[in-house]
Amino acid sequence: MNYRKLGKTGFDISEISLGTWQVGGKWGDPFSHENADQILNAAVDAGINFIDTADVYGDGESEKAVGRLVRSRSERIYVATKCGRRLQPHTNEAYQPRALRAFVEDSLRNMRLETLDLIQLHCPPTDVFYRPEIFEEFDRLKEEGKIQHLGVSVEKVEEALKAIDFPNVTTVQIIFNMFRQRPAELFFTEALRRDVGVIVRVPLASGLLTGKFRADSTFSADDHRNFNRQGAAFDKGETFSGVDYETGLAAVDELRTVFPDDTNLAPDALRWILTFEAVSCIIPGASKPDHLTANVQAIDRPAPSAEQRAAVKQIYDERIKNPVHYLW
């Protein structure tokens, strides 16, 4: 495993880390702690030392599994969780310092930890990023020892750029992949300049970039790849990175000609992300240990050539950019 600095946190974290939205099993299935334990322990065995979770993943069950892992292992494991999405309704007005403090304390209880290495606002409405009192509350939580660092998870580049105006924001979690390339422009430049860690989420565009899906692939009724393609439940950019499914399949067919020797495109898609200096780590998910094994293969994959990078950019420009680039 290779390690990179997570911005001004000073943490040395694994380039390939783990996101735990799926760690309890497939999307829509009941949470399986047995499955979660297998994946989490396999991750640490592979050298992964940064685990990202959230209080809404499995309604708190993911946090419990992550906490159990940390307490059972001797390795230094950095824990990041998120707060805010439990607010109902999930609106700017609902974001209040007292509510966020309560969420932090709930997460500490879920994981049975004394402090959180990183707490992140969980994709709040854009207006929240213009409210200093929200960010100031986390300074108090840090003084109390309940958190070590504050980060944000965002939907839009605009939100990422506004968030890092606050000096206590140490990390930004953002969607970035072959089908979502806008962050590599101004945001990555600013993140490097301000020593802000960049955590890349949805790196495989909800699985599209594995190359395993077809036009006749089906998803369960409770899978967001079935019900959220048009943003019925949450921001549609979370599902296939906002790319129309059929358009994405056509683009993947072209990517196969760029990486012709690989039946699974996931390691190539992840290795492409790691060519960007601003990226601190990638947090692909895994619903079974085999997914984790495939993801970790990315660190052994040779970096894409200049010709391959140019081809990826051309596919993006011709098929993806116009309907996606300017929305997020």
Side-chain angles (χ1 to χ4, degrees):
M1 181 58 70
N2 302 317
Y3 300 84
R4 299 186 181 192
K5 195 78 73 178
L6 183 60
K8 53 192 171 184
T9 69
F11 298 159
D12 284 314
I13 62 170
S14 45
E15 288 181 337
I16 303 295
S17 292
L18 180 65
T20 61
W21 190 4
Q22 302 165 263
V23 77
K26 292 182 179 180
W27 275 307
D29 288 352
F31 193 95
S32 167
H33 278 279
E34 179 181 1
N35 193 68
D37 288 346
Q38 289 178 354
I39 293 170
L40 290 166
N41 280 284
V44 178
D45 290 343
I48 288 174
N49 70 348
F50 181 82
I51 310 290
D52 177 81
T53 185
D55 55 4
V56 292
Y57 295 170
D59 193 24
E61 296 305 306
S62 175
E63 285 189 331
K64 292 176 185 177
V66 171
R68 184 168 60 248
L69 172 81
V70 172
R71 297 192 307 275
S72 69
R73 302 288 301 227
S74 61
E75 298 89 343
R76 176 63 165 105
I77 302 167
Y78 296 99
V79 174
T81 190
K82 298 184 284 292
C83 65
R85 290 307 292 259
R86 287 168 56 197
L87 292 167
Q88 295 294 334
H90 187 242
T91 61
N92 173 46
E93 292 74 20
Y95 271 78
Q96 298 297 331
R98 180 180 297 179
L100 295 170
R101 169 179 286 272
F103 292 152
V104 168
E105 292 170 347
D106 287 345
S107 291
L108 288 169
R109 281 190 289 270
N110 273 344
M111 291 190 275
R112 294 168 57 190
L113 299 175
E114 293 183 0
T115 187
L116 302 174
D117 295 313
L118 179 66
I119 183 69
Q120 303 156 100
L121 293 177
H122 198 172
C123 298
T126 302
D127 287 348
V128 171
F129 293 94
Y130 293 82
R131 294 174 54 197
E133 74 275 13
I134 296 299
F135 294 83
E136 290 166 359
E137 183 65 18
F138 292 92
D139 283 332
R140 289 185 278 274
L141 288 164
K142 183 175 181 178
E143 290 168 1
E144 296 166 18
K146 294 179 178 178
I147 68 168
Q148 298 300 309
H149 296 283
L150 171 66
V152 296
S153 183
V154 302
E155 301 287 3
K156 301 176 181 179
V157 167
E158 171 199 349
E159 296 164 348
L161 290 168
K162 184 66 186 78
I164 62 178
D165 279 344
F166 295 99
N168 64 344
V169 172
T170 61
T171 66
V172 172
Q173 188 176 141
I174 193 166
I175 297 174
F176 178 63
N177 57 53
M178 290 177 172
F179 289 170
R180 180 76 74 84
Q181 297 190 25
R182 188 180 181 189
E185 297 175 352
L186 177 60
F187 171 63
F188 277 10
T189 300
E190 284 299 300
L192 280 171
R193 186 174 72 84
R194 302 186 194 209
D195 195 21
V196 170
V198 175
I199 302 166
V200 170
R201 65 191 183 92
V202 197
L204 299 176
S206 306
L208 255 183
L209 286 167
T210 64
K212 295 181 178 180
F213 297 159
R214 303 183 306 274
D216 60 353
S217 295
T218 59
F219 305 95
S220 70
D222 292 332
D223 190 323
H224 74 103
R225 293 172 295 185
N226 178 34
F227 66 77
N228 195 59
R229 295 187 187 187
Q230 300 305 317
F234 42 82
D235 193 298
K236 73 175 184 177
E238 299 277 355
T239 302
F240 301 130
S241 296
V243 176
D244 172 75
Y245 184 65
E246 286 70 26
T247 300
L249 291 177
V252 166
D253 283 343
E254 290 194 38
L255 286 172
R256 291 182 190 280
T257 68
V258 181
F259 304 97
D261 298 328
D262 301 317
T263 55
N264 181 4
L265 289 174
D268 297 303
L270 297 177
R271 186 65 185 85
W272 177 86
I273 293 170
L274 291 173
T275 63
F276 292 83
E277 180 187 2
V279 171
S280 302
C281 76
I282 311 172
I283 52 169
S287 60
K288 56 184 180 179
D290 288 350
H291 294 161
L292 178 75
T293 302
N295 294 337
V296 172
Q297 289 175 359
I299 62 173
D300 296 322
R301 194 61 55 94
S305 66
E307 291 77 13
Q308 287 174 316
R309 294 196 299 272
V312 171
K313 181 67 163 58
Q314 183 176 355
I315 292 167
Y316 176 78
D317 287 345
E318 292 179 356
R319 288 194 175 272
I320 307 295
K321 185 173 184 177
N322 189 52
V324 169
H325 192 83
Y326 303 102
L327 295 180
W328 293 282

